[in-house]
Amino acid sequence: MQNIVILAGNIGQTPEVRTTQSGTKITNFSLATSRARLSEGRVLRDDNGYRVMDTEWHRITCFNGLGKTVAEHCEKGMKVLVHGRIHYTKWIDSMGNDRYGCEIIAEKVDFLSRPKSAETENPELVDRDDEIPF
């Protein structure tokens, strides 16, 4: 049995970093994934002919070195591929009610796009394959 999750989507907010009392760095961000809405096995379309999309939000948690890399290089809107596992938590709120949560513990995060700031600040990083004379 395995607990494996692979998600590709867009970062919904700038990653937030916090440090536990024991010194562990934890980075959290939200990730949006989308899929076409189906009705009777067919893709649903709006009045203009565009596919109707359903978006789901996922809480992603990264620890230590991975968290540091994500915090330094990721920003809202970037496309990333997250490999990890599902982690469920249960706690009792201040009213005495049982509460439940679900998050993805990231083990690997691949950057599928560059931050917008990197694209405008470093024009030499832009792919210029079409300028090669052969």
Side-chain angles (χ1 to χ4, degrees), residues 97-114:
N97 298 318
D98 286 346
R99 304 286 300 204
Y100 300 90
C102 177
E103 64 186 332
I104 306 302
I105 305 298
E107 295 168 0
K108 179 180 171 188
V109 177
D110 294 321
F111 305 152
L112 303 179
S113 67
R114 293 188 179 159

Side-chain angles (χ1 to χ4, degrees), residues 7-16 27-34 55-61 70 74-82 109 113 116:
L7 297 170
N10 296 313
I11 294 177
Q13 67 193 28
T14 300
E16 298 176 0
T27 302
N28 294 89
F29 64 94
S30 59
L31 186 72
T33 59
S34 298
T55 301
E56 294 193 45
W57 290 92
H58 312 274
R59 292 185 348 198
I60 311 296
T61 301
V70 166
C74 291
E75 64 184 29
K76 179 179 178 176
M78 276 185 64
K79 293 184 185 320
V80 295
L81 181 68
V82 176
V109 177
S113 67
K116 302 228 183 302

Side-chain angles (χ1 to χ4, degrees), residues 21-94:
Q21 292 178 349
S22 64
T24 302
K25 291 195 183 300
I26 302 172
T27 302
N28 294 89
F29 64 94
S30 59
L31 186 72
T33 59
S34 298
R35 63 180 179 83
R37 185 179 300 170
L38 299 177
S39 175
E40 298 178 6
R42 297 180 56 122
V43 174
L44 203 61
R45 298 195 178 269
D46 65 14
D47 294 337
N48 297 318
Y50 293 105
R51 293 184 297 173
V52 176
M53 303 297 285
D54 287 330
T55 301
E56 294 193 45
W57 290 92
H58 312 274
R59 292 185 348 198
I60 311 296
T61 301
C62 307
F63 291 97
N64 298 314
L66 178 60
K68 178 182 177 189
T69 301
V70 166
E72 289 176 357
H73 299 288
C74 291
E75 64 184 29
K76 179 179 178 176
M78 276 185 64
K79 293 184 185 320
V80 295
L81 181 68
V82 176
H83 297 255
R85 61 185 171 85
I86 298 174
H87 177 72
Y88 295 98
T89 54
K90 178 184 174 188
W91 70 96
I92 299 174
D93 68 12
S94 60

